[in-house]
Amino acid sequence: MAPVTHKPLLATVLGQRQERPPIWIMRQAGRYLPEYRQTRAQTGGFLELCYTPELAVEVTLQPLRRFDLDAAILFSDILVIPDALGQSVRFATGEGPLLEPLDEKGIDSLDRNRAMSHLAPVFETLRRLRAALPAEKTLIGFCGAPWTVATYMLGGRGSPDQWTARRFALEHPEAFDKLIDILVDTSIDYLAGQFEAGADVVQLFESWALNLDDASFARQVMEPNRRIVEGLRQRVPDAPVIGFPRGAAGNLRRFSEATGVNALGIDFATPIDFVNAHLPPELPVQGNLDPLRLVVGGEAMERQARAIIEGFANRPHIFNLGHGIVPETPIAHVERLVELVKRG
């Protein structure tokens, strides 16, 4: 494989270990930045911000102006897909996303024919980002993986145990499979469109991969992710994909082998030794600092960051948090983390 010398993060996803790990931060554009809050205040709602290319470009680029990050990630949300399919989606202050919960009849009413035209502003955002980014910065696109998106569509909101969706999948398997089929096909279209618009790599956010037994994990997590990767690569040959099955634990290797993702995001509860013992040394990994350590900062944060860098030093590694940055995070702590990762 020829070196991808001008984009260190993309090169790492493709299996090329760097002298020091490249870094980006999940939710790096967000409420911990005052400039994000100011831009957000210009819109009538969160989805309006996602669908307004001028503003979505602005918030995507804000963290790169402050920090020496190696990638920009498209500013959007995993729930633009149910919104594009015609489900009612809104974001309430202090409550997070609220959806009109689906039943079997609601699944039948979803409309794939409207989805890509509805998502056209997202593709325009990516085109503008591609033009604006320096050559060495990787542009990351993304979508939510089908099981995670389905948990919101069926439950109507986030849930600590995804009870409603888990029960629906067991009680109504045919309707559940129909929903997953819709999400797989729409996700393939959406990600292929992101690559066409300029994305270098995409990430599949399987944020709720935990709380499933082995059979459900195989059916509801691994197989839909596998189908997306396979279908995407039929449209975009060799498309680079990062999989992030948060909470997969002992299923990490199975997920990696079944889906064919290029790189694997590691949540902060997964021990470094476990990763190195169970995943092939040539498989790139991403992660996995606890976001709370970044909030607190100081020596404890720096010690753990160094342990992660050293622990993954013998394999391709992208430094990141093990979940998204939280609004309480001090900007100075992010500055120090980026400095430590880049320069020690």
Side-chain angles (χ1 to χ4, degrees), residues 16-337:
Q16 299 168 18
R17 188 167 66 87
Q18 308 297 299
E19 184 176 348
R20 294 197 67 79
I23 179 173
W24 70 281
I25 297 172
M26 285 186 278
R27 294 193 195 136
Q28 64 190 28
R31 289 176 290 169
Y32 74 106
L33 294 175
E35 57 266 41
Y36 169 83
R37 297 193 296 270
Q38 292 168 6
T39 306
R40 170 69 176 82
Q42 299 176 34
T43 65
F46 178 75
L47 284 175
E48 182 183 338
L49 178 56
C50 293
Y51 293 140
T52 306
E54 179 181 358
L55 298 180
V57 168
E58 166 62 21
V59 295
T60 300
L61 296 177
Q62 284 171 351
L64 276 75
R65 297 187 189 123
R66 281 188 179 269
F67 315 117
D68 185 17
L69 299 163
D70 291 288
I73 181 167
L74 165 71
F75 182 82
S76 186
D77 193 84
I78 66 170
L79 297 182
V80 296
I81 283 187
D83 183 62
L85 291 169
Q87 185 176 13
S88 172
V89 181
R90 63 187 179 90
F91 287 78
T93 303
E95 293 189 72
L98 298 173
L99 295 79
E100 187 66 35
L102 287 184
D103 54 16
E104 293 176 87
K105 184 177 179 181
I107 292 171
D108 289 333
S109 71
L110 296 173
D111 184 4
R112 280 200 63 224
N113 293 323
R114 73 191 291 275
M116 290 307 106
S117 60
H118 189 86
L119 294 168
V122 179
F123 303 137
E124 176 61 21
T125 296
L126 281 160
R127 284 189 286 271
R128 295 187 187 190
L129 286 168
R130 177 77 284 151
L133 278 176
E136 73 275 10
K137 304 296 185 184
T138 298
L139 179 54
I140 303 173
F142 74 93
C143 74
W147 164 246
T148 290
V149 176
T151 65
Y152 288 94
M153 296 177 79
L154 294 167
R157 60 170 67 225
S159 160
D161 60 6
Q162 301 79 54
W163 174 269
T164 301
R166 287 162 55 207
R167 181 169 179 172
F168 186 94
L170 293 172
E171 291 184 337
H172 308 285
E174 292 184 4
F176 178 80
D177 286 345
K178 183 183 294 185
L179 174 59
I180 292 296
D181 288 345
I182 291 169
L183 291 173
V184 166
D185 292 340
T186 306
S187 297
I188 291 169
D189 289 344
Y190 184 39
L191 294 176
Q194 291 185 33
F195 275 110
E196 183 179 347
D200 294 307
V201 58
V202 296
Q203 176 158 309
L204 284 166
F205 280 89
E206 191 68 278
S207 303
W208 295 118
L210 66 170
N211 296 326
L212 295 170
D213 62 26
D214 279 355
S216 295
F217 186 87
R219 173 180 175 233
Q220 293 156 215
V221 171
M222 290 198 302
E223 180 60 10
N225 278 271
R226 184 200 66 77
R227 289 169 58 195
I228 289 177
V229 174
E230 179 181 74
L232 176 61
R233 289 182 178 152
Q234 290 174 357
R235 302 266 294 273
V236 184
D238 302 317
V241 181
I242 304 169
F244 180 52
R246 186 171 74 95
N251 281 313
L252 278 173
R253 180 159 188 154
R254 290 176 61 209
F255 178 93
S256 170
E257 292 175 345
T259 62
V261 295
N262 298 82
L264 202 59
I266 307 298
D267 64 70
F268 60 85
T270 303
I272 296 169
D273 289 349
F274 178 88
V275 172
N276 289 330
H278 292 88
L279 297 181
E282 68 275 10
L283 178 70
V285 298
Q286 175 179 278
N288 66 333
L289 186 70
D290 184 346
L292 186 57
R293 288 188 180 271
L294 190 56
V295 172
V296 176
E299 179 56 33
M301 181 271 284
E302 295 187 17
R303 185 168 55 249
Q304 184 63 19
R306 291 190 180 94
I308 292 167
I309 294 169
E310 292 169 6
F312 293 139
N314 293 322
R315 65 163 70 239
H317 175 222
I318 299 165
F319 197 98
N320 206 321
L321 304 184
H323 199 218
I325 193 170
V326 297
E328 299 83 2
T329 306
I331 289 171
H333 295 179
V334 182
E335 291 173 341
R336 176 59 191 134
L337 176 65

